[in-house]
Amino acid sequence: LASVWAGKSAATLTAVDLSNNRVGADGCQTLSCVLGRLTALTQLNLSSNMLCLEGGQAVASSLVHLQLLASLNLRDNKMGFEGYTAVTQCLGQHPHLKDFWLEKFCLKGHSNAVTCVAWSPDGSKLASASRDNTVKIWNALTGKLILTLQGHSHWVNSVVWSPDSSKLASASGDKTVKIWNSVTRELVLTLKGHSEPVMGVVWSPDGSKLASGSGDRFGRNPQLFIWDAQSGQKILELNGHTATGTSVVWSPDVSKLASASADGTVRVWNALTGDLILTLEGHSNWVMSVAWSSDGSKLASASYDKTAIVWDSISGEQMATLKGHTAGVLGVSWMQKGDSDPETGVGSSMLVTASDDKTLILWDGETGQQLKQLRGHGGGVNAVAWKGDQIVSGDGDKSVIVWDTATGRQA
């Protein structure tokens, strides 16, 4: 950057990559002065450095007047939550900045891949499940670890909050579902009955029941059970899938259950009687995740075939096929109804997908249009959940990342 400082190339330099250096407090003042001179700059990568709160603020201030800047990567620095807030406030209204890579916070603590993430109903906490056999609960406002739940003897594949946030249920490769007190970390119940690893678990919206799906890693011996959440007794067994049940989700009105399977289908069941209502066929590989829209009118499914599909949950009609990922799609989540604009309803049809290609994609669920790609994970993204203006995702690189979508940019 010496020639830039001397004024020789400031008007022509369009891209700067200073990632994986040790740019910290000592270099921030000089760096900020140099950046302010780069009037033609369109891309800047300062990821994996040592920028602290003050350094991040200084860099952001120097970039405000660079009208051509379209891509900025400040991932993996030392700014913390306060620095994130300061930088996003400074650059939030930049006219051309479309790719803004700065995680709100990256939660590190698991010692193996993160398999599932879940927001508490009130949005104050996060839960993450991992192949390190644990569930961790985090403060969603600060990113601080609150507690770790230990008790499973194999990978934890799924975790879900009770509707009142007082409990968590976790599904594991040890063939059990465990119910925990989310405050005291006390193990309340262990549900036994599956003969293979339990891949997915969900709580009914009224809190009275749980559903879980299982099968082995080759897709054999599928089982789908409904349980009484108070007694832990098995109420129903739903038969129909021909391969591992990977994901289960309750309809908002409690009347139906949707399940995804390694047999390539999504099935919709009567949650009271266990009768099969619909079989949704359209994927060409394992279906890894299924999610119900908040009004119950649509389902979305994610598959190893690199696509997600939006379905009419009543007729079973395929409404849109979402193509854009370059590897298997492992997770899907809808923006909740209350997250959309109350006047226009904008946002109520948006959804996000997570992929083994290390990215998240935001979509318009009505048209199938790709709206935004979020990049920043160091491994395949196994799980995603959307609440309010924030998305949380977990990856094979042991990390949980919280993203801010309020400005439509990756945060």
Side-chain angles (χ1 to χ4, degrees), residues 132 182 244 313 326 328 392:
D132 65 11
S182 64
T244 298
S313 67
T326 58
V392 62

Side-chain angles (χ1 to χ4, degrees), residues 138-215:
W138 313 81
N139 184 313
L141 301 178
T142 66
K144 300 297 183 182
L145 178 64
I146 299 173
L147 56 85
T148 299
L149 304 178
Q150 297 176 302
H152 283 293
S153 59
H154 205 277
W155 298 351
V156 185
N157 298 311
S158 181
V159 63
V160 62
W161 293 87
S162 64
D164 65 0
S165 299
S166 67
K167 298 183 182 71
L168 284 165
S170 55
S172 170
D174 64 14
K175 306 176 186 178
T176 71
V177 173
K178 292 185 183 292
I179 299 176
W180 312 82
N181 184 304
S182 64
V183 177
T184 67
R185 80 181 75 187
E186 173 192 3
L187 178 59
V188 179
L189 279 174
T190 297
L191 311 184
K192 298 180 179 180
H194 285 283
S195 60
E196 300 291 348
V198 189
M199 305 303 296
V201 63
V202 65
W203 223 299
S204 64
D206 62 5
S208 66
K209 300 181 182 70
L210 288 162
S212 56
S214 67

